[in-house]
């Protein structure tokens, strides 16, 4: 269990790493040249650092983002440092079911293997708004889009794992904010209700959904006997473009909580650790903070809630998908 003292001091936990560890440090010596990874939101912040370090470890990285101009800049940034990097960019708007399905069709057409899926992209604390599909934006982007993307890519991941004998890994980026959500955890009957909407609780709800999704997916993959793990991570408290809707508040809070804030290389460490480190072989259905297992909230450990979210998400996607 990671405590506040470890967070403040950066003291390493059982894994040998802690809050002060960087993405390069936790992947030092790892050869990922036989791996292909998709990273959503890999054009900025910790997503870009995750993509950079994964490329540094010689994996083939596909950056999937909504803004292709940012994606092109990210690709150039990675190639400028690492000319031999294998990095490609593809368009993906997670708030749009149509865009998710188009992305998957385009990726499958490339006939590439897929070993790692890092569901990193997200929006945070945004004012109430519905997606083009009529779903509350934070739930649509942070959970539903990733849920649909993962389901559509699962067959490709299963084929890759079976053909290569290499374990597939799925990582959902959650947040400690999953502990601050609505009274019932997930507002199944009021996902799109503007009345009573809280940008903070809606974000927490979506981050809770990320953990529940990973846990339920892990359970199903184990039951099926598939060589793929599914875990969730809290990257830490980092000032990134994700906080654009609350930058004044975050800058104010940072003045009083400076000791728990991470820089971007530290923020990407847990994701890279869970995605690439050999010590996590076979580890699934866990939540990680500072590169160590951590116990999430009671809601996040609720298997019935996870199963209900799975069925709810499938039903919602079915109502929105192409015929």
């Amino acid at each position: 269990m990671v405590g506040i003292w470890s967070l403040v001091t950066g003291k390493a936990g059982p894994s040998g790493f802690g809050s002060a560890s960087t993405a390069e440090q936790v992947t030092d010596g790892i050869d990922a040249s036989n791996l292909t990874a998709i990273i959503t939101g890999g054009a900025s912040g910790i997503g870009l650092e995750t993509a950079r370090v994964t490329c540094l470890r010689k994996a083939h990285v596909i950056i999937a983002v909504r803004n292709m101009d940012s994606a092109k800049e990210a690709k150039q940034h990675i190639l400028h440092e690492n000319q031999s990097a294998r990095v490609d960019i593809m368009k993906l708007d997670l708030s749009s079911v149509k865009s998710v399905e188009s992305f998957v069709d385009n990726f499958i057409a490339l006939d590439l293997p897929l070993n790692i899926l890092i569901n990193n992209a997200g929006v945070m604390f945004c004012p109430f708004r519905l997606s083009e599909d009529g779903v509350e934006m934070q739930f649509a982007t942070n959970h539903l889009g990733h849920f649909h993307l993962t389901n559509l890519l699962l067959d490709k991941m299963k084929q890759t794992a079976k053909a290569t004998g290499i374990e597939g890994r799925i990582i959902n980026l959650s947040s400690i904010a999953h502990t601050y959500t609505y009274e019932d955890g997930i507002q199944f009957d009021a996902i799109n209700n503007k009345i009573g909407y809280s940008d903070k609780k809606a974000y927490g709800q979506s981050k809770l959904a990320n953990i529940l999704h990973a846990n339920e997916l892990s359970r199903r993959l184990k039951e099926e006997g598939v060589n793929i793990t599914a875990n969730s991570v809290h990257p830490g408290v980092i000032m990134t473009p994700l906080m654009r809707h609350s930058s004044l508040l975050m800058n104010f809070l940072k003045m009083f909580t400076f000791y728990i804030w991470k820089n971007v290389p530290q923020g990407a460490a847990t994701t890279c650790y869970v995605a690439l480190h050999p010590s996590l072989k076979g580890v699934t259905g866990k939540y990680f903070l500072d590169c160590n297992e951590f116990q999430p909230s009671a809601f996040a450990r609720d298997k019935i809630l996870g199963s209900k979210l799975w069925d709810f998400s499938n039903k919602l996607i079915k109502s929105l998908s192409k015929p």
Side-chain angles (χ1 to χ4, degrees):
M1 188 67 73
V2 181
I4 188 68
W5 179 247
S6 296
L7 189 65
V8 174
T9 62
K11 183 181 178 182
S15 69
F17 303 111
S19 63
S21 301
T22 67
E24 286 197 27
Q25 288 170 344
V26 304
T27 58
D28 185 41
I30 293 175
D31 179 5
S33 57
N34 58 345
L35 302 179
T36 301
I38 290 175
I39 303 173
T40 69
S44 64
I46 58 175
L48 174 55
E49 178 68 0
T50 301
R52 184 190 73 81
V53 173
T54 306
C55 283
L56 194 63
R57 302 307 171 218
K58 300 181 180 178
H60 180 191
V61 173
I62 291 88
I63 294 175
V65 292
R66 181 177 53 81
N67 187 326
M68 290 302 285
D69 288 334
S70 295
K72 290 172 185 174
E73 289 179 14
K75 181 176 179 178
Q76 288 307 310
H77 172 76
I78 292 170
L79 288 172
H80 179 73
E81 176 193 289
N82 178 10
Q83 293 182 359
S84 63
R86 292 182 293 156
V87 55
D88 291 298
I89 57 175
M90 294 179 68
K91 186 173 180 61
L92 170 64
D93 181 353
L94 285 157
S95 70
S96 163
V97 166
K98 182 179 178 182
S99 178
V100 171
E101 293 171 350
S102 177
F103 169 86
V104 172
D105 287 344
N106 292 334
F107 176 77
I108 298 300
L110 297 174
D111 196 27
L112 292 170
L114 182 58
N115 307 94
I116 300 169
L117 173 60
I118 300 176
N119 291 320
N120 165 85
V123 293
M124 181 180 187
F125 299 165
C126 51
F128 181 83
R129 184 157 65 97
L130 297 179
S131 69
E132 67 176 49
D133 298 315
V135 181
E136 188 276 312
M137 188 58 79
Q138 296 193 85
F139 190 82
T141 305
N142 298 351
H143 166 64
L144 199 64
H146 282 127
F147 177 86
H148 194 34
L149 176 70
T150 303
N151 278 353
L152 293 178
L153 290 172
L154 265 183
D155 281 346
K156 170 59 72 174
M157 292 196 74
K158 290 175 184 178
Q159 290 166 12
T160 302
K162 187 174 181 180
T164 63
I166 300 170
E167 176 184 83
R169 296 187 182 185
I170 298 168
I171 300 93
N172 282 359
L173 263 75
S174 182
S175 168
I176 201 72
H178 81 273
T179 59
Y180 184 69
T181 183
Y182 294 106
E183 187 178 354
D184 298 322
I186 307 288
Q187 289 198 128
F188 293 108
D189 299 325
I191 288 292
N192 301 330
N193 194 348
K194 188 174 183 179
I195 299 171
Y197 174 80
S198 160
D199 57 355
K200 310 296 185 298
K201 289 182 179 179
Y203 179 70
Q205 172 179 252
S206 70
K207 295 290 100 179
L208 170 62
N210 292 149
I211 301 176
L212 290 169
H213 170 219
N215 290 351
E216 178 66 12
L217 177 59
S218 170
R219 186 189 67 77
R220 288 167 179 260
L221 291 170
K222 278 200 292 186
E223 198 173 75
E224 198 178 330
V226 177
N227 189 24
I228 300 173
T229 63
N231 294 291
S232 50
V233 306
H234 168 45
V237 187
I238 310 118
M239 186 65 78
T240 72
L242 190 63
M243 295 179 178
R244 59 187 169 272
H245 291 294
S246 55
S247 57
L248 286 175
L249 170 63
M250 289 301 169
N251 279 312
F252 176 76
L253 288 176
K254 194 171 181 180
M255 291 168 59
F256 300 97
T257 58
F258 63 90
Y259 51 84
I260 67 167
W261 289 71
K262 292 183 178 183
N263 58 37
V264 170
Q266 292 168 340
T270 304
T271 304
C272 289
Y273 173 72
V274 177
L276 296 174
H277 207 280
S279 69
L280 264 67
K281 183 175 174 61
V283 176
T284 188
K286 304 296 183 182
Y287 173 68
F288 289 83
L289 184 154
D290 298 336
C291 300
N292 289 276
E293 286 186 34
F294 189 79
Q295 181 170 282
S297 71
F299 275 141
R301 304 192 306 273
D302 189 330
K303 294 179 182 178
I304 295 174
L305 187 63
S307 178
K308 187 176 180 181
L309 175 65
W310 185 279
D311 293 341
F312 174 84
S313 302
N314 263 332
K315 186 176 179 181
L316 184 52
I317 287 291
K318 191 174 181 180
S319 72
L320 300 172
S321 296
K322 63 188 178 184

